[in-house]
Amino acid sequence: MTAPSDGRWVNHGTLREVYSNWWVTFTVDDVERPDGSHVEHEVIRGPNAAGTVVADDDRGILMIWRHRFMPDVWGWEIPGGSIDAGEAPATAAARELLEETGWDATGELEHLSTHHPSCGFVSQQFHLFLARGARHVGPPTDPNEAARIEWRSFEQVAADIRTGLVLDGFSLLGLTLALARLGRADLLGPADPSA
């Protein structure tokens, strides 16, 4: 076999679809590895997502407390969700913020990151944004997202990260990047300065 010169993995297309619905598609694809060999590789395709870290100098960071049934855990998260077809990531992030919290970002959203959460077999792309302030519009329009909506101080959020109360990668990355952008990365250090 002849190895591609650039080390690239090449997807030659779907061999079979295992399952598909409105939310997710599972396929087995024909993938050529850098050494030229072919393997059947499982692929998950789902909607891209966008989320917002909302920060306010006086109130802290707007967080949602919610239950995730897969790992059966409660935790603090940033608001976010799926990007609708044809929707810009920043528009989706602002929409999800309003739907899940009843708060509307003031000012333009600042881009923090675009990343693939599990690039080995999931096609999704996640977009994270920072909002420097928000105004309360009313109750959330999606009652299924949060058991509580709360402004938490920067110190509380950093402690939540350290003690495992922020469990999902989407929120962890967004909060870490936002705290750094806001000049508050020092809060992420050890709780005990002698540690």
Side-chain angles (χ1 to χ4, degrees), residues 26-44:
F26 297 96
T27 64
V28 176
D29 291 4
D30 172 18
V31 176
E32 182 180 354
R33 297 185 293 192
D35 68 3
S37 64
H38 285 247
V39 295
E40 291 188 2
H41 199 294
E42 295 79 9
V43 176
I44 300 172

PDB file of all heavy atoms in Angstrom, residues 26-44:
ATOM      1  N   PHE A  26     -26.117   7.554  13.050  1.00  0.00           N
ATOM      2  CA  PHE A  26     -24.976   6.656  13.235  1.00  0.00           C
ATOM      3  C   PHE A  26     -24.715   5.946  11.917  1.00  0.00           C
ATOM      4  O   PHE A  26     -25.624   5.327  11.359  1.00  0.00           O
ATOM      5  CB  PHE A  26     -25.265   5.605  14.309  1.00  0.00           C
ATOM      6  CG  PHE A  26     -25.500   6.171  15.672  1.00  0.00           C
ATOM      7  CD1 PHE A  26     -26.785   6.410  16.136  1.00  0.00           C
ATOM      8  CD2 PHE A  26     -24.430   6.482  16.505  1.00  0.00           C
ATOM      9  CE1 PHE A  26     -27.012   6.933  17.398  1.00  0.00           C
ATOM     10  CE2 PHE A  26     -24.645   7.001  17.770  1.00  0.00           C
ATOM     11  CZ  PHE A  26     -25.935   7.236  18.213  1.00  0.00           C
ATOM     12  N   THR A  27     -23.484   6.031  11.423  1.00  0.00           N
ATOM     13  CA  THR A  27     -23.120   5.345  10.189  1.00  0.00           C
ATOM     14  C   THR A  27     -21.815   4.583  10.387  1.00  0.00           C
ATOM     15  O   THR A  27     -21.070   4.820  11.339  1.00  0.00           O
ATOM     16  CB  THR A  27     -22.941   6.327   9.008  1.00  0.00           C
ATOM     17  OG1 THR A  27     -21.844   7.207   9.297  1.00  0.00           O
ATOM     18  CG2 THR A  27     -24.206   7.125   8.738  1.00  0.00           C
ATOM     19  N   VAL A  28     -21.550   3.685   9.439  1.00  0.00           N
ATOM     20  CA  VAL A  28     -20.246   3.040   9.326  1.00  0.00           C
ATOM     21  C   VAL A  28     -19.689   3.500   7.990  1.00  0.00           C
ATOM     22  O   VAL A  28     -20.316   3.297   6.939  1.00  0.00           O
ATOM     23  CB  VAL A  28     -20.369   1.501   9.394  1.00  0.00           C
ATOM     24  CG1 VAL A  28     -19.001   0.864   9.184  1.00  0.00           C
ATOM     25  CG2 VAL A  28     -20.976   1.072  10.722  1.00  0.00           C
ATOM     26  N   ASP A  29     -18.533   4.156   8.043  1.00  0.00           N
ATOM     27  CA  ASP A  29     -17.931   4.742   6.850  1.00  0.00           C
ATOM     28  C   ASP A  29     -16.667   3.995   6.444  1.00  0.00           C
ATOM     29  O   ASP A  29     -16.009   3.354   7.271  1.00  0.00           O
ATOM     30  CB  ASP A  29     -17.587   6.221   7.100  1.00  0.00           C
ATOM     31  CG  ASP A  29     -18.827   7.102   7.230  1.00  0.00           C
ATOM     32  OD1 ASP A  29     -19.953   6.564   7.211  1.00  0.00           O
ATOM     33  OD2 ASP A  29     -18.666   8.321   7.358  1.00  0.00           O
ATOM     34  N   ASP A  30     -16.332   4.100   5.156  1.00  0.00           N
ATOM     35  CA  ASP A  30     -15.088   3.545   4.621  1.00  0.00           C
ATOM     36  C   ASP A  30     -14.009   4.607   4.788  1.00  0.00           C
ATOM     37  O   ASP A  30     -14.041   5.650   4.126  1.00  0.00           O
ATOM     38  CB  ASP A  30     -15.274   3.199   3.136  1.00  0.00           C
ATOM     39  CG  ASP A  30     -13.985   2.792   2.456  1.00  0.00           C
ATOM     40  OD1 ASP A  30     -13.001   2.440   3.145  1.00  0.00           O
ATOM     41  OD2 ASP A  30     -13.955   2.835   1.204  1.00  0.00           O
ATOM     42  N   VAL A  31     -13.061   4.355   5.702  1.00  0.00           N
ATOM     43  CA  VAL A  31     -12.025   5.340   6.011  1.00  0.00           C
ATOM     44  C   VAL A  31     -10.659   4.774   5.638  1.00  0.00           C
ATOM     45  O   VAL A  31     -10.308   3.653   6.006  1.00  0.00           O
ATOM     46  CB  VAL A  31     -12.064   5.723   7.502  1.00  0.00           C
ATOM     47  CG1 VAL A  31     -10.923   6.662   7.858  1.00  0.00           C
ATOM     48  CG2 VAL A  31     -13.410   6.373   7.832  1.00  0.00           C
ATOM     49  N   GLU A  32      -9.916   5.571   4.879  1.00  0.00           N
ATOM     50  CA  GLU A  32      -8.545   5.213   4.514  1.00  0.00           C
ATOM     51  C   GLU A  32      -7.583   5.868   5.495  1.00  0.00           C
ATOM     52  O   GLU A  32      -7.614   7.075   5.693  1.00  0.00           O
ATOM     53  CB  GLU A  32      -8.242   5.689   3.092  1.00  0.00           C
ATOM     54  CG  GLU A  32      -6.859   5.327   2.613  1.00  0.00           C
ATOM     55  CD  GLU A  32      -6.593   5.821   1.189  1.00  0.00           C
ATOM     56  OE1 GLU A  32      -7.538   6.345   0.552  1.00  0.00           O
ATOM     57  OE2 GLU A  32      -5.450   5.689   0.741  1.00  0.00           O
ATOM     58  N   ARG A  33      -6.753   5.046   6.119  1.00  0.00           N
ATOM     59  CA  ARG A  33      -5.770   5.550   7.080  1.00  0.00           C
ATOM     60  C   ARG A  33      -4.516   6.036   6.357  1.00  0.00           C
ATOM     61  O   ARG A  33      -4.333   5.762   5.163  1.00  0.00           O
ATOM     62  CB  ARG A  33      -5.433   4.454   8.098  1.00  0.00           C
ATOM     63  CG  ARG A  33      -6.651   4.058   8.925  1.00  0.00           C
ATOM     64  CD  ARG A  33      -6.321   3.078  10.000  1.00  0.00           C
ATOM     65  NE  ARG A  33      -5.913   1.790   9.451  1.00  0.00           N
ATOM     66  CZ  ARG A  33      -5.791   0.686  10.181  1.00  0.00           C
ATOM     67  NH1 ARG A  33      -6.040   0.707  11.472  1.00  0.00           N
ATOM     68  NH2 ARG A  33      -5.420  -0.446   9.618  1.00  0.00           N
ATOM     69  N   PRO A  34      -3.639   6.759   7.054  1.00  0.00           N
ATOM     70  CA  PRO A  34      -2.433   7.283   6.415  1.00  0.00           C
ATOM     71  C   PRO A  34      -1.542   6.230   5.753  1.00  0.00           C
ATOM     72  O   PRO A  34      -0.857   6.529   4.778  1.00  0.00           O
ATOM     73  CB  PRO A  34      -1.689   7.972   7.564  1.00  0.00           C
ATOM     74  CG  PRO A  34      -2.776   8.402   8.482  1.00  0.00           C
ATOM     75  CD  PRO A  34      -3.790   7.290   8.412  1.00  0.00           C
ATOM     76  N   ASP A  35      -1.592   4.978   6.242  1.00  0.00           N
ATOM     77  CA  ASP A  35      -0.753   3.941   5.620  1.00  0.00           C
ATOM     78  C   ASP A  35      -1.393   3.333   4.384  1.00  0.00           C
ATOM     79  O   ASP A  35      -0.862   2.422   3.768  1.00  0.00           O
ATOM     80  CB  ASP A  35      -0.401   2.843   6.635  1.00  0.00           C
ATOM     81  CG  ASP A  35      -1.605   2.009   7.073  1.00  0.00           C
ATOM     82  OD1 ASP A  35      -2.727   2.212   6.560  1.00  0.00           O
ATOM     83  OD2 ASP A  35      -1.414   1.149   7.958  1.00  0.00           O
ATOM     84  N   GLY A  36      -2.595   3.838   3.992  1.00  0.00           N
ATOM     85  CA  GLY A  36      -3.280   3.374   2.798  1.00  0.00           C
ATOM     86  C   GLY A  36      -4.283   2.266   3.050  1.00  0.00           C
ATOM     87  O   GLY A  36      -5.054   1.909   2.158  1.00  0.00           O
ATOM     88  N   SER A  37      -4.299   1.702   4.254  1.00  0.00           N
ATOM     89  CA  SER A  37      -5.262   0.650   4.561  1.00  0.00           C
ATOM     90  C   SER A  37      -6.643   1.255   4.797  1.00  0.00           C
ATOM     91  O   SER A  37      -6.767   2.423   5.180  1.00  0.00           O
ATOM     92  CB  SER A  37      -4.814  -0.145   5.792  1.00  0.00           C
ATOM     93  OG  SER A  37      -4.781   0.679   6.944  1.00  0.00           O
ATOM     94  N   HIS A  38      -7.664   0.455   4.562  1.00  0.00           N
ATOM     95  CA  HIS A  38      -9.047   0.895   4.760  1.00  0.00           C
ATOM     96  C   HIS A  38      -9.635   0.189   5.975  1.00  0.00           C
ATOM     97  O   HIS A  38      -9.370  -0.982   6.214  1.00  0.00           O
ATOM     98  CB  HIS A  38      -9.905   0.577   3.524  1.00  0.00           C
ATOM     99  CG  HIS A  38      -9.662   1.490   2.389  1.00  0.00           C
ATOM    100  ND1 HIS A  38     -10.595   2.379   1.938  1.00  0.00           N
ATOM    101  CD2 HIS A  38      -8.568   1.672   1.601  1.00  0.00           C
ATOM    102  CE1 HIS A  38     -10.101   3.063   0.919  1.00  0.00           C
ATOM    103  NE2 HIS A  38      -8.865   2.647   0.694  1.00  0.00           N
ATOM    104  N   VAL A  39     -10.457   0.925   6.743  1.00  0.00           N
ATOM    105  CA  VAL A  39     -11.171   0.358   7.880  1.00  0.00           C
ATOM    106  C   VAL A  39     -12.619   0.825   7.826  1.00  0.00           C
ATOM    107  O   VAL A  39     -12.929   1.871   7.258  1.00  0.00           O
ATOM    108  CB  VAL A  39     -10.543   0.776   9.240  1.00  0.00           C
ATOM    109  CG1 VAL A  39      -9.154   0.199   9.393  1.00  0.00           C
ATOM    110  CG2 VAL A  39     -10.547   2.276   9.414  1.00  0.00           C
ATOM    111  N   GLU A  40     -13.479   0.024   8.437  1.00  0.00           N
ATOM    112  CA  GLU A  40     -14.853   0.464   8.651  1.00  0.00           C
ATOM    113  C   GLU A  40     -14.851   1.229   9.964  1.00  0.00           C
ATOM    114  O   GLU A  40     -14.498   0.680  11.008  1.00  0.00           O
ATOM    115  CB  GLU A  40     -15.799  -0.737   8.706  1.00  0.00           C
ATOM    116  CG  GLU A  40     -15.961  -1.426   7.374  1.00  0.00           C
ATOM    117  CD  GLU A  40     -17.034  -2.499   7.389  1.00  0.00           C
ATOM    118  OE1 GLU A  40     -17.699  -2.692   8.435  1.00  0.00           O
ATOM    119  OE2 GLU A  40     -17.218  -3.149   6.347  1.00  0.00           O
ATOM    120  N   HIS A  41     -15.226   2.498   9.899  1.00  0.00           N
ATOM    121  CA  HIS A  41     -15.131   3.380  11.072  1.00  0.00           C
ATOM    122  C   HIS A  41     -16.523   3.902  11.425  1.00  0.00           C
ATOM    123  O   HIS A  41     -17.251   4.394  10.564  1.00  0.00           O
ATOM    124  CB  HIS A  41     -14.211   4.558  10.755  1.00  0.00           C
ATOM    125  CG  HIS A  41     -13.677   5.264  11.958  1.00  0.00           C
ATOM    126  ND1 HIS A  41     -14.466   5.963  12.826  1.00  0.00           N
ATOM    127  CD2 HIS A  41     -12.417   5.383  12.427  1.00  0.00           C
ATOM    128  CE1 HIS A  41     -13.730   6.495  13.779  1.00  0.00           C
ATOM    129  NE2 HIS A  41     -12.471   6.145  13.558  1.00  0.00           N
ATOM    130  N   GLU A  42     -16.899   3.765  12.716  1.00  0.00           N
ATOM    131  CA  GLU A  42     -18.187   4.266  13.177  1.00  0.00           C
ATOM    132  C   GLU A  42     -18.134   5.795  13.250  1.00  0.00           C
ATOM    133  O   GLU A  42     -17.146   6.367  13.690  1.00  0.00           O
ATOM    134  CB  GLU A  42     -18.523   3.696  14.553  1.00  0.00           C
ATOM    135  CG  GLU A  42     -18.722   2.203  14.571  1.00  0.00           C
ATOM    136  CD  GLU A  42     -17.415   1.399  14.575  1.00  0.00           C
ATOM    137  OE1 GLU A  42     -16.327   2.002  14.742  1.00  0.00           O
ATOM    138  OE2 GLU A  42     -17.483   0.183  14.378  1.00  0.00           O
ATOM    139  N   VAL A  43     -19.222   6.428  12.819  1.00  0.00           N
ATOM    140  CA  VAL A  43     -19.300   7.887  12.798  1.00  0.00           C
ATOM    141  C   VAL A  43     -20.655   8.310  13.369  1.00  0.00           C
ATOM    142  O   VAL A  43     -21.691   7.724  13.036  1.00  0.00           O
ATOM    143  CB  VAL A  43     -19.140   8.441  11.367  1.00  0.00           C
ATOM    144  CG1 VAL A  43     -19.319   9.952  11.333  1.00  0.00           C
ATOM    145  CG2 VAL A  43     -17.785   8.051  10.781  1.00  0.00           C
ATOM    146  N   ILE A  44     -20.618   9.327  14.225  1.00  0.00           N
ATOM    147  CA  ILE A  44     -21.840   9.918  14.761  1.00  0.00           C
ATOM    148  C   ILE A  44     -21.948  11.328  14.196  1.00  0.00           C
ATOM    149  O   ILE A  44     -21.013  12.124  14.305  1.00  0.00           O
ATOM    150  CB  ILE A  44     -21.814   9.970  16.302  1.00  0.00           C
ATOM    151  CG1 ILE A  44     -21.675   8.560  16.881  1.00  0.00           C
ATOM    152  CG2 ILE A  44     -23.065  10.665  16.832  1.00  0.00           C
ATOM    153  CD1 ILE A  44     -21.439   8.529  18.371  1.00  0.00           C
TER     154      ILE A  44
END
